[in-house]
Amino acid sequence: MLSRRNWLSLALAAPALAQTPTRWRSVLNIDNPGVLPRLFDACFLTPRIGLAAGIVLFPGVGSRQNTTFHTEDRGQTWVQRKSPDIPLALFALHESHVWMLGERRLWFSSDAGWTWRSSSRPRHAAGIHFLDPLHGFAFGGARVHRTTDGGRHWSAIPASADPLLPQDRQWRLAAFSSPQKGWIAGVAHLPPAPDARDPFGEPLTRAQRRDLRVPGLVLLQTTDGGATWIPSSCSAPGEIVSLLDQGDFLTCAFLGDSLSRFPGVVARAPIAGGSWRTLLQEEQLSVRDLLHHRGELHAAADNQGRAEILTLDSAGEWRHRPVHYTAQGHPCFLRGPQGAFWLWLDTGMIFAPVS
């Protein structure tokens, strides 16, 4: 997840909260009558400088404004500015190397997002991840692309189009635990198992087997900074939204049918192969982001629209911690000042822990 995708690798190594906070304060809340904000991503570039990006809709007049929000005082005040494009994703190494993936172009800023210059972007890209100022990845649709010049030029990674991968794959996120070791993950649909049965225990008909699709996970794994990749696919409990590499196994958050009793699940599986073991599945709970720190697994979730954090302690119990009564929307972890982890919500809100 900086954002649920872009700063996930840093979250594994950076100092975080000694304990998940029990109180939070709102540092950004776009609450203007007649305005409908939507944040798509957020990040801190330095301990003082932060950047959030999204759109502001004006339903009454049927218009929208592409927007960025800037802070230079640890989130105490924010300045709203017009964005040159619809901002789909942000990634920052520091204030002099900031990338914004737009709907039309890729944008680069060397001054903390105040000015931008554009370059072409891979078609269908939905997310970006950079290892250093030159080397990075763009993913989305059926392919993953790589750059070695800071995003000016891109080339497809052949492994992302491996013929053994499902044809309907959609690459969704990147998660690096180090500059060398990382994953790019996506969603797909797999045919049912040969011995699959219908709800009544009968073998599937030819029509059922043609129409039924099992949620799948597609993966690219690298241990050399993206020079080579190992593609794979497997069945999954839903559509992946967050991934943690925890050594011998992967821990992932998946979304299912939003209208179902259990719209999401957190599950774990061995990297070497094996079935998923459910860690968290509760009624009306959708986990959107995961963070591991000091032996504890943290999940940012929404429960019927209300944001909350759950923590799996060393005893194997999940502790529920509501964020704030105004925190409505889908939450994701944000690496804030001094290594503390904040939350940003797609509804245009950012929350900081109260120390």
Side-chain angles (χ1 to χ4, degrees):
M1 315 314 165
L2 239 79
S3 70
R4 58 184 168 199
R5 301 172 181 90
N6 297 343
W7 282 100
L8 189 57
S9 60
L10 292 177
L12 299 175
L17 302 173
Q19 294 180 342
T20 306
T22 56
R23 293 191 301 137
W24 298 78
R25 60 185 175 90
S26 173
V27 296
L28 177 63
N29 187 359
I30 311 165
D31 188 18
N32 300 327
V35 167
L36 184 62
R38 286 290 180 265
L39 285 186
F40 298 148
D41 215 339
C43 62
F44 265 85
L45 321 181
T46 73
R48 297 187 62 86
I49 302 174
L51 180 64
I55 59 174
V56 176
L57 301 173
F58 302 90
V61 295
S63 64
R64 76 180 181 206
Q65 179 178 322
N66 305 328
T67 300
T68 57
F69 296 90
H70 300 250
T71 181
E72 294 186 345
D73 54 11
R74 303 178 188 270
Q76 295 184 44
T77 59
W78 295 80
V79 175
Q80 182 177 348
R81 303 186 75 237
K82 186 177 180 180
S83 168
D85 200 346
I86 298 177
L88 303 180
L90 296 170
F91 195 93
L93 295 174
H94 39 69
E95 60 184 309
S96 61
H97 284 85
V98 185
W99 291 268
M100 179 174 68
L101 179 66
E103 189 176 72
R104 295 176 285 107
R105 305 280 288 175
L106 178 70
W107 303 83
F108 176 79
S109 175
S110 58
D111 58 3
W114 288 101
T115 61
W116 301 92
R117 68 172 185 264
S118 71
S119 61
S120 61
R121 44 153 283 177
R123 190 179 181 185
H124 303 306
I128 50 175
H129 185 98
F130 280 82
L131 303 178
D132 57 45
L134 296 178
H135 299 86
F137 310 99
F139 41 89
R143 288 184 177 272
V144 178
H145 290 77
R146 182 183 186 185
T147 181
T148 58
D149 57 9
R152 289 185 290 274
H153 301 90
W154 297 88
S155 59
I157 294 176
S160 68
D162 189 289
L164 296 180
L165 293 173
Q167 293 300 305
D168 67 345
R169 63 193 176 275
Q170 298 284 324
W171 297 104
R172 294 284 180 84
L173 61 89
F176 277 73
S177 56
S178 74
Q180 297 298 314
K181 185 180 180 183
W183 301 80
I184 296 177
V187 301
H189 291 92
L190 308 176
D195 58 350
R197 303 267 174 167
D198 67 15
F200 304 101
E202 296 296 325
L204 297 180
T205 66
R206 181 177 299 178
Q208 288 174 322
R209 187 168 293 279
R210 182 188 65 241
D211 297 335
L212 180 62
R213 288 293 179 266
V214 177
L217 173 67
V218 288
L219 293 167
L220 291 176
Q221 180 186 13
T222 183
T223 57
D224 54 15
T228 59
W229 296 87
I230 300 174
S232 62
S233 63
C234 61
S235 61
E239 294 192 359
I240 188 168
V241 290
S242 187
L243 180 151
L244 291 176
D245 182 341
Q246 298 190 281
D248 294 332
F249 51 84
L250 296 179
T251 301
C252 302
F254 300 92
L255 292 181
D257 184 352
S258 61
L259 300 178
S260 69
R261 180 182 175 190
F262 300 104
V265 61
V266 176
R268 177 175 291 167
I271 290 178
S275 60
W276 293 97
R277 180 171 69 89
T278 299
L279 301 181
L280 175 64
Q281 187 175 44
E282 295 185 3
E283 292 188 21
Q284 310 302 320
L285 188 74
S286 299
V287 175
R288 304 286 172 164
D289 201 7
L290 297 174
L291 165 71
H292 187 265
H293 176 67
R294 295 184 180 177
E296 291 189 330
L297 178 64
H298 306 281
D302 67 85
N303 192 331
Q304 302 183 74
R306 179 69 59 83
E308 62 178 282
I309 290 179
L310 297 90
T311 300
L312 181 65
D313 59 26
S314 56
E317 299 292 331
W318 287 96
R319 304 192 303 273
H320 289 250
R321 290 170 176 174
V323 177
H324 194 274
Y325 73 95
T326 64
Q328 302 282 341
H330 301 155
C332 293
F333 289 112
L334 166 66
R335 183 184 176 213
Q338 299 177 336
F341 281 90
W342 296 19
L343 287 175
W344 69 270
L345 284 74
D346 63 343
T347 49
M349 309 180 76
I350 297 179
F351 287 87
V354 176
S355 58

